[in-house]
Amino acid sequence: MATRVNIITGDVLLAAGIKHLLRNLFGIDATAMTVPPESGAAEQSCELTITDCNCFATNAAYFVPRRNRVLLITDGEMPTDQGIATLNRRDTEDAIIERLADVVRRSCATADDSNQLSQREIEVLRFVAQGLLNKEIADRLNISINTVLSHRKNITAKLGIKSASALSVYAIINGYI
């Protein structure tokens, strides 16, 4: 599966440069946009999103939940303890290319695993598709409601599907029911 990359920034020159590097060095055709996608295939199938600090700050609600799939282009060194990969635009060309290669390699390695549901998440998904309430799911699986909510949050994050009806369709299409 090809790595899907979105570049989200208002800086057209930055987007063009990153697109050029990705295409020429890694054979990846990235999609450039000025604002994050509302929803849909572009967002759901994206393994890596590259953005700058201004766009990240403006659209934090979009980027923070996806921080493990974000490459943040910075103007200097930043702490990386928040799970966000950074790329310092002031580094040398070789350092930038090496860092970009590392992030792309990691994205390719985890792209196939990132949407895989755990066995427990599949059980929760089945019950959601059957129309059970969170309390009923918790009782059937002998877990707390908070654990059910955590599983549902993880399912939504992995699949990019928010509604119970859409989760039901997904479960049916993928043979979980």
Side-chain angles (χ1 to χ4, degrees), residues 162-174:
K162 296 181 182 177
S163 71
S165 59
L167 285 171
S168 298
V169 170
Y170 176 86
I172 292 167
I173 289 173
N174 289 282

Side-chain angles (χ1 to χ4, degrees), residues 7-50:
I7 303 167
I8 305 174
T9 178
D11 186 336
V12 176
L13 183 60
L14 175 64
I18 295 293
K19 277 183 75 166
H20 177 78
L21 286 173
L22 291 171
R23 182 175 41 252
N24 291 335
L25 296 176
F26 310 107
I28 296 171
D29 286 322
T31 302
M33 54 190 79
T34 56
V35 295
E38 292 290 326
S39 64
E43 188 258 330
Q44 290 176 11
S45 64
C46 180
E47 288 95 33
L48 177 62
T49 301
I50 301 173

Side-chain angles (χ1 to χ4, degrees), residues 15 32 35 52 76 79 84 87 98 102 112 120 124 141-142 144 147 149 156:
V35 295
D52 58 21
I84 301 171
L87 177 67
E98 183 178 328
D102 179 50
D112 294 331
R120 183 61 94 175
V124 171
L141 296 176
N142 294 320
S144 73
T147 303
L149 293 172
T156 298

Side-chain angles (χ1 to χ4, degrees), residues 22 40-41 52 57 73 94 99-100 102 104-105 109 119 124 158 172-174:
L22 291 171
D52 58 21
I73 299 173
D94 289 340
R99 179 68 175 144
L100 191 57
D102 179 50
V104 167
R105 196 172 24 257
Q119 190 59 44
V124 171
K158 288 179 179 181
I172 292 167
I173 289 173
N174 289 282

Side-chain angles (χ1 to χ4, degrees), residues 66-106:
R66 296 162 179 82
R67 67 181 167 268
N68 60 339
R69 297 181 300 160
V70 171
L71 175 61
L72 182 62
I73 299 173
T74 66
D75 287 323
E77 295 298 321
M78 288 187 65
T80 58
D81 59 346
Q82 299 300 313
I84 301 171
T86 59
L87 177 67
N88 184 350
R89 72 171 74 210
R90 299 186 190 281
D91 273 345
T92 65
E93 182 179 349
D94 289 340
I96 288 171
I97 290 171
E98 183 178 328
R99 179 68 175 144
L100 191 57
D102 179 50
V103 171
V104 167
R105 196 172 24 257
R106 250 186 304 124

